[in-house]
């Protein structure tokens, strides 16, 4: 048997898992696993032909169980997602080696479980990405769900609760998909992709609606789409630092991958577009788009309210997922490219941001935004990384987030969807406001007394962060590099491909060339710098070398407050939607509890003979009458 | 049902009537021993039903008296079956009575509700769980844990 | 060769009769005779299976050709369950040695013999006899724990089961009055003409309710939480794991061979759906392991009933797969519960004390929930694809209930897992954390290993399941194998 | 209220069952198997009493199962009651007439019991009926002298060996290459006491077993009656 490249990749990944499983307790284990991730990346790069030219590589493994054939293969879409997966795993793992690992063990963490869970996540994600039919897709899907549960739960305490909440949601989603799978199997007689495509052609709109709801809802749970988003932020935020970087970068995107594969590739956007919502003017696609937009807005504004850096970032992760879905649902060349490109971009800056926050936690021991401040003088490099990250997150030039968001906006305007555009812009506004809160409360303002002697993060953590920052900038400067992969992926799922260049995209309605944009931007910075320094009026002083209200400042006086940020805005918008989804969730829980109580009562207060008699009476009566 | 009550109907009424009495007795009695007795009655009905299945008009017991010309005999199989069923019933009743004796010794009551109550209490005590099912919090944390008030803000209590 | 199969019933009975006598002369011999008989039974069955068993056989007991005499019908399905009976009898063997051990072991042997009979017998009344034998042995073993609660629970179970028997007997009487035969194959032959009517349906329904008591059919399953909470864990494991499946097997055979009316399937479907709902929901709130498992077992059996109700035997593979899967998983879980009985909260932090036990719990839970590579997923997959293929809305309701119940199931199972892996609470730090160990853990590992092995060999296992199902579905094969012929002399 | 519902439901169920049963053809059963057995039983089993040939021949395994059930019930009752032996000596003894009558009846009942067992293949009766009479024979003195103890040891010996011999007779047939529980030693003198091959032996086993089983069950019940 000749191993294909995909076999090699999966074997490599499995080997990583085994290494983590068996020697994960040693201190060098982290480095070993990191090297193995690098090896996986190399194998993946050997498959780069997928990302540039398309095509597919099959695995030599195929199974047939109970008459269901299963196969695994990689195409451009899988390759694109796998690149992000392994890349973020490599950097997160690298970040975790050395200093962070030691402190984690000191705090009673189980590093073996951590490495194992990470490796398991990567392995299962690769299996999911490689799925060649709906059955293997579902298997991969469930594997990823449970692997994610392991990673989320391993911190114990609050994290376990968050993970329990996650797994309930995830399983509900999984069961929706399972049900959809069964319906598709009935319609097409098989779960092979081409059979499904032809079955969808002949499907009535009622059935297709049901399938779209089941699959959209099921996969949407993983993406954190409204109203299934409640689990995500606490689950990701409570995961140990590098783990949350990894999860935040890629985990939810598995939902997007599945939506791309099933809703876009198999069902086809055109078919979804033809599904009308009864009694209204909108169709299923509009519905998805609006769900995406609400997923952008609400979690983003929730993020603004967070007082914990990790939670703030995690809530943003949900909101950014909305942009990706929005772009894909618009489904023109620009939108599709924007949505997919945003997956890549988001992974880079989200990982960087989580790492920066983890570095801050590593040094200061807290991620509470009300207990930090002024760290820029102590941790300038981390500040740089965080700054680059939030520029990307906010979608401003010159970082890569700008490109993908620009593409999405452009497509919304091109397709004549001004309301969606407006809503997306509101989301971006919220993003900018909240990331300012993040960087301000951590790095700007007054340095706290207890952080007077804090040092910059160690190099083992710094290097991956800097690498990520470089990627954020470079792909912002030359978005053509990832756009090429995105283009191949788009072709795979049958979406139109934009006319891309190294610096951006060409289009009749408006082109973007980041090299020019950044050139102009930096020219502007240069002029500003020249003016600033040539004037020579500035003087560097210690932050306490100052006075306010006629008093000289001392270190024990708080002269700058960061809590209750944006109080007025919060007051304004807070009342609109406060807790409504939480109520829904609690309502369902209470309902289950109530029913459960009733059922227990049924068994407890059992008058068994009476039940028997009643049943016998009814069934016999049914026969006689 | 307008026709005269035929003998077969009487027999069927007897058999099914016994079952009915037994069932009603089991459901209605509040005393465990009476429940067992009702069970015995119901069993008798079922056995009668079974033996009726083999009855033939104008036939004799299935024992060969003369080899020359065997008379019409009733079906021997249900008779064998009912023999078995009766013995099975006896075994079960004996066991039931011995358990009843034990329960009476332990709880000094054979009231069905009281015995069930005390059984419930005893199970709960042995297993070490609170007994009342209506006022307790569910076991462990809920799968979707409520957010404690002090952390609600931090973990995001809106949407 | 195959005539030896009778020994799997006869030898345990012989052993049971002689055990109290033997115990008086030599304790050692008596102690080992039970396991020895069961091992021999396993060997007989394994040998038959390995020697290329493909065609079903019918064994006439007493040499009387069916339908006059009673026959054992042995197809792959029956053989599989017969093997499971001997094996589980061995695994759940009451090894404890005390004054009562002769009686307990004797009853266990009787239970095994009855279970074998249930798996193999091809005669309606004979099934009833073995069913009652299993019931009485169960009563004895359930009350053997000696607590007052056990006595009350047993008595309540006994009365319920007794009424069930009355109804079953009534149904048998109806069938015999109508057809004049009790042989299943013969009945299958006659059914299309004689039992395809209201009377046949009524007979089936009374039998269904009667046998449903053991098969944990809703709503005649109220004994389940009481008995499982008071009886020994091994007995509960045997009852939940095996005996319920055997009762199910009888209903399945009746449904397949004799009663083809759609109404029969519909009743089973409705009761199955209600069983799933009630069982899983009640388990969600259970505060201790055994009762949680009891309720979950009700739910699982409800799922099997749903599968059984599929028309034309479409759910056959699903029924067998779900039943076998539940057999393995629930037995394993009960074995874990042997040391982990009592309030679940008490188990906080047990994973540290017994990592293997906790890992097994997670493994079983994952399989029960239907996590893909594990066998539970395939069983559920087969079921839902068949359910989705039905046009009748009730089946789709069943599908929806099934999926939702799975979510509830995962929620409560993993709540326990989270407790196992959690840190001990402050107030219970001083107390000893219950550990899973010894024989129970060993047995549980055995089941776990079986589960993993099946997951790895899923393709061949799936194929053989399909073959077994096809064989069990083949009515003509059944009739042809038994070939009940009335040579003459009919009136 | 619940009682009324129960009554109504039970009545309703009874009515339904009746309406179903009234569809049966009473008095003219199909007798598919029955008449075939009637025709073949004398040749195949050699028993004149066809019920016996059904019980011990055609459906012998039912009988074995039923013996096992009785055994299981006795063992279970022993398990339930056997934990604490309360002495029944405190109870008053029966009167002189009762005691004498008991002693007098004992041999008579034994004789009748064995008679019925041995003629099971010829006349109505058999192992079960005879066994019950045997049990009554043992039980009667017990009622007369509540303090007297049955010899449980020997009872359980009889129990065990009688049951075992039923199976062993069946296994013997297998050793000879026949089917399990196949009647052996078929002879041709129908209607004689010594006829019907192994059937009388089986019935003897059944009778002894039933007698021992019931006697031990009853004696257990009587001995544990006194509450602590």
């Amino acid at each position: 048997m000749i191993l294909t490249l995909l076999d090699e990749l999966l074997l490599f990944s499995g080997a990583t898992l085994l290494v983590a499983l068996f020697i994960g307790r040693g201190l060098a284990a982290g480095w070993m696993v990191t090297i193995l991730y690098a090896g996986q990346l190399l194998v993946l790069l050997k498959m780069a032909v997928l990302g540039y030219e398309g095509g597919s590589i099959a695995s030599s493994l195929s199974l047939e169980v109970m008459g269901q054939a299963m196969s695994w293969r990689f195409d451009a879409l899988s390759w694109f997602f796998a690149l992000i997966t392994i890349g973020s795993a490599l950097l997160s793992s690298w970040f975790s080696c050395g200093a962070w690992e030691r402190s984690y063990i000191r705090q009673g963490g189980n590093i073996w479980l951590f490495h194992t869970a990470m490796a398991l996540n990567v392995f299962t994600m690769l299996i999911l990405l490689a799925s060649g039919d709906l059955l293997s897709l579902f298997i991969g899907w469930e594997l990823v769900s449970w692997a994610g549960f392991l990673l989320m739960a391993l911190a114990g305490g609050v994290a376990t609760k968050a993970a329990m909440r996650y797994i309930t949601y995830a399983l509900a989603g999984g069961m929706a998909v399972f049900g959809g799978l069964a319906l598709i199997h009935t319609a097409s007689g098989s779960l092979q992709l081409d059979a499904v495509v032809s079955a969808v052609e002949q499907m009535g709109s009622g059935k297709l609606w049901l399938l779209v709801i089941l699959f959209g809802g099921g996969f949407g749970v993983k993406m954190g789409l409204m109203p299934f988003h409640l689990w995500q932020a606490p689950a990701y935020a409570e995961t140990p630092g590098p783990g949350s970087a990894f999860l935040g970068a890629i985990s939810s995107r598995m939902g997007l991958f599945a939506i791309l594969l099933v809703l876009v590739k198999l069902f086809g956007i055109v078919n979804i577009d033809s599904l009308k919502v009864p009694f209204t003017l909108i169709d299923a696609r509009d519905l998805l788009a609006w769900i995406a937009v609400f997923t952008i807005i609400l979690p983003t504004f929730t993020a603004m309210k967070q007082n914990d850096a990790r939670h703030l970032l995690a809530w943003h992760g949900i909101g950014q997922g909305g942009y990706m879905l929005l772009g894909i649902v618009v489904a023109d060349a620009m939108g599709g490219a924007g949505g997919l490109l945003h997956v890549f971009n988001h992974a880079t800056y989200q990982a960087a941001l989580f790492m920066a926050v983890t570095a801050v936690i590593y040094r200061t021991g807290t991620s509470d935004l009300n207990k930090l401040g002024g760290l820029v003088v102590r941790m300038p490099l981390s500040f740089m990384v965080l700054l680059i990250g939030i520029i990307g997150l906010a979608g401003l030039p010159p970082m890569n987030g700008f490109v993908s968001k620009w593409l999405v906006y452009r497509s919304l305007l091109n397709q004549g969807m001004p309301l969606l555009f407006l809503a997306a812009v509101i989301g971006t506004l919220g993003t900018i406001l909240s990331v300012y809160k993040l960087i301000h409360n951590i790095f700007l303002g007054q340095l706290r007394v207890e952080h007077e002697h804090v040092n910059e993060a160690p190099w083992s953590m710094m290097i991956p962060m800097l690498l990520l920052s470089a990627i954020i900038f470079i792909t912002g400067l030359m978005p053509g590099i990832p756009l090429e992969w995105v283009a191949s992926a788009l072709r795979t799922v049958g979406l139109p491909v934009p006319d891309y260049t190294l610096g951006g995209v060409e289009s009749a309605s408006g082109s973007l060339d980041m090299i020019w944009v950044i050139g102009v931007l930096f020219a502007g910075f240069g002029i500003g710098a020249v003016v600033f320094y040539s004037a020579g009026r500035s003087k560097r002083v210690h932050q306490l070398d100052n006075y306010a209200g006629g008093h000289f400042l001392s270190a024990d006086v708080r002269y700058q407050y960061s809590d209750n940020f944006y109080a007025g805005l919060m007051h304004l918008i807070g009342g609109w939607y406060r807790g409504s989804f939480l109520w829904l969730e609690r309502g369902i829980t209470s309902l289950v509890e109530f029913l459960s109580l009733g059922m227990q009562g049924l068994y407890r207060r059992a008058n068994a003979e009476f039940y028997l008699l009643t049943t016998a009476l009814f069934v016999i009566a049914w026969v006689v009458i | 049902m307008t026709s005269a009550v035929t003998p077969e109907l009487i027999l069927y009424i007897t058999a099914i009537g016994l079952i009915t009495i037994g069932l009603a007795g089991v459901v209605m009695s509040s005393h465990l021993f009476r429940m067992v007795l009702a069970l015995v009655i119901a069993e008798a009905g079922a056995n009668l039903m079974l033996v009726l299945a083999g009855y033939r008009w104008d036939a004799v017991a299935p024992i060969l008296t003369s080899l020359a010309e065997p008379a019409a005999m009733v079906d021997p199989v249900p008779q064998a079956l009912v023999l078995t069923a009766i013995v099975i019933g006896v075994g079960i009743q004996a066991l039931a009575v011995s358990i009843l004796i034990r329960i009476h010794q332990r709880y000094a009551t054979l009231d069905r509700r009281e015995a069930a109550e005390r059984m419930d209490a005893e199970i709960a005590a042995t297993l070490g769980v609170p007994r009342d099912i209506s006022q307790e919090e569910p076991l462990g944390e809920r799968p979707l844990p409520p957010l404690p008030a002090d952390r609600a803000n931090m973990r995001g209590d809106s949407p | 060769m195959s005539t030896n199969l009778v020994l799997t019933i006869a030898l345990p009975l012989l052993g049971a009769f002689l055990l109290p006598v033997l115990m008086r002369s030599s304790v050692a011999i008596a102690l080992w005779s039970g396991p020895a008989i069961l091992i021999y039974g396993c060997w007989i069955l394994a040998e038959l299976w390995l020697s290329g068993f493909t065609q079903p056989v019918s064994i006439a007991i007493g040499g009387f050709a069916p339908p006059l005499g009673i026959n054992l019908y042995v197809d792959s399905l029956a053989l599989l369950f017969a093997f499971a009976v001997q094996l589980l009898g061995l695994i759940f063997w009451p090894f404890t040695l005390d004054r009562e051990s002769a009686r307990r072991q004797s009853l266990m042997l009787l239970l095994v013999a009855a279970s074998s009979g249930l798996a193999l017998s091809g005669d309606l009344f004979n099934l009833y006899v073995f069913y009652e034998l299993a019931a009485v042995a169960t009563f004895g073993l359930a009350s053997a724990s000696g607590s007052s609660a056990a006595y009350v629970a047993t008595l309540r179970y006994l009365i319920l089961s007794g009424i069930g028997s009355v109804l079953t007997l009534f149904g048998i009487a109806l069938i015999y009055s109508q057809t004049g035969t009790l042989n299943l194959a013969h009945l299958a032959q006659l059914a299309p003409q004689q039992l395809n009517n209201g009377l046949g349906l009524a007979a089936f329904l009374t039998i269904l309710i009667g046998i449903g008591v053991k098969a944990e059919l809703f709503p005649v399953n109220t004994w389940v939480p009481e008995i499982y909470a008071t009886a020994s864990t091994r007995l509960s494991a045997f009852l939940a794991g095996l005996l319920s499946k055997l009762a199910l097997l009888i209903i399945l055979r009746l449904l397949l061979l004799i009663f083809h009316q759609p109404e029969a399937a519909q009743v089973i479907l409705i009761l199955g759906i209600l069983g799933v709902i009630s069982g899983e929901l009640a388990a969600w709130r259970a505060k201790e392991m055994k009762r949680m498992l009891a309720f979950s077992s009700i739910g699982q059996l409800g799922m099997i009933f749903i599968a059984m109700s599929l028309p034309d035997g479409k759910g056959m593979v699903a029924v067998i797969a779900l039943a076998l899967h539940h057999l393995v998983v629930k037995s394993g879980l009960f074995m874990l519960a042997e040391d982990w009985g009592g309030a679940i909260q008490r188990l906080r932090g047990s994973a540290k004390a017994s990592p293997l036990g906790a890992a097994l719990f997670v493994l079983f839970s994952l399989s029960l929930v239907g996590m893909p590579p594990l066998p539970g997923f395939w069983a559920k997959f087969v079921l839902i694809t068949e359910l989705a293929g039905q046009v009748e809305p009730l089946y789709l309701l069943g599908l929806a209930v099934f999926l939702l119940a799975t979510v509830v199931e995962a929620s409560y199972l993993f709540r326990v897992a989270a407790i196992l892996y959690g840190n001990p609470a402050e107030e219970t730090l001083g107390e000893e954390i219950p550990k899973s160990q010894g024989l129970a853990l060993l047995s549980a590992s055995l089941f776990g290993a079986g589960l993993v092995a099946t997951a790895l060999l899923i393709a061949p296992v799936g194929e053989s399941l399909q073959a077994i199902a096809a064989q069990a579905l083949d009515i003509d094969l059944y009739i042809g194998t038994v070939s009940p012929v009335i040579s003459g002399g009919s009136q | 209220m619940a009682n009324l519902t129960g009554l109504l439901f039970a009545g309703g169920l009874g009515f339904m069952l009746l309406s179903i049963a009234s569809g049966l053809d009473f008095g003219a059963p199909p007798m598919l198997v029955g008449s075939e057995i009637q025709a073949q039983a004398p040749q195949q089993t050699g028993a004149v009493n066809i019920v016996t040939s059904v019980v011990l021949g055609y459906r012998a395994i039912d009988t074995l199962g039923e013996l096992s059930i009785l055994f299981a019930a006795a063992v279970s009752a022993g398990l339930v009651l056997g934990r604490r032996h309360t002495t029944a000596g405190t109870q008053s003894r029966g009167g002189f007439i009762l005691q004498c009558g008991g002693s007098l009846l004992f041999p008579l009942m034994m004789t009748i019991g064995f008679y019925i067992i041995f003629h099971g293949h010829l006349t109505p009766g058999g192992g079960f009926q005879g066994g019950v009479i045997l049990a009554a024979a043992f039980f009667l003195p017990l009622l007369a002298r509540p303090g007297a103890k049955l010899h449980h040891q020997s009872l359980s010996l009889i129990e065990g060996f009688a049951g075992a011999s039923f199976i062993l007779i069946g296994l013997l047939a297998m050793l000879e290459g026949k089917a399990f529980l196949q009647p052996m030693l078929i002879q041709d003198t129908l209607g004689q006491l010594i006829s019907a091959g192994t059937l009388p032996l089986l019935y003897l086993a059944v009778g002894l077993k039933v007698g021992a089983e019931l006697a031990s069950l009853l004696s257990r019940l009587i001995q544990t009656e006194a509450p602590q």
Side-chain angles (χ1 to χ4, degrees), chain C residues 143-315:
Chain C
S143 60
S145 69
S147 71
S148 317
Y151 291 137
V152 180
T154 310
L155 190 73
R156 284 160 65 96
Y157 178 29
L158 185 148
I159 291 173
L160 184 64
S161 166
I163 300 187
S165 307
V166 169
L167 284 182
T168 309
L169 209 52
F170 182 82
I172 293 174
L174 280 185
I175 290 177
Y176 190 81
S177 307
Q178 179 73 8
T179 61
T181 185
L182 291 166
N183 187 281
L184 289 185
H186 202 196
L187 282 172
Q189 243 176 3
L190 300 174
Q193 293 91 46
Q194 301 196 12
L195 289 172
N196 195 7
N197 49 22
L199 188 131
L201 192 56
F204 173 72
L205 290 175
T206 46
I207 294 178
L208 172 71
I209 293 172
I211 294 190
V213 174
K214 276 249 185 310
E216 303 181 12
L217 177 72
F218 182 88
V220 286
N221 51 13
T222 47
W223 58 273
V224 170
E226 295 168 14
I227 289 285
Y228 290 0
T230 51
S232 79
T233 324
R234 284 162 180 269
L235 178 68
S236 308
F238 195 88
L239 292 184
L242 192 55
L243 206 55
S244 57
K245 309 298 175 308
L246 291 170
L248 210 98
L249 186 67
I250 300 173
I251 299 174
L252 184 67
R253 288 253 197 240
L254 292 179
L255 197 65
L256 282 180
L257 292 172
I258 304 169
F259 303 100
H260 306 291
Q261 291 99 322
E263 289 90 348
Q266 233 160 358
V267 169
I268 292 184
L269 176 62
I270 293 171
L271 294 180
I273 291 177
L274 290 173
V276 172
I277 295 176
S278 65
E280 298 293 4
L281 280 175
W284 195 75
R285 229 176 154 279
K287 293 190 194 68
E288 42 84 27
M289 194 94 142
K290 282 193 197 173
R291 256 192 288 193
M292 187 186 89
L293 294 180
F295 284 129
S296 126
S297 146
I298 290 174
Q300 296 287 327
L301 279 151
M303 290 181 189
I304 304 181
F305 276 115
I306 293 178
M308 197 191 276
S309 70
L310 284 162
D312 309 326
K314 276 190 182 144

Side-chain angles (χ1 to χ4, degrees), chain B residues 4 9-10 48 56 60 67 85 113 121 154 157:
Chain B
L9 202 56
I10 292 176
L48 185 53
R56 272 171 85 184
V60 299
L67 286 175
R113 269 193 193 98
M154 200 173 124
D157 70 339

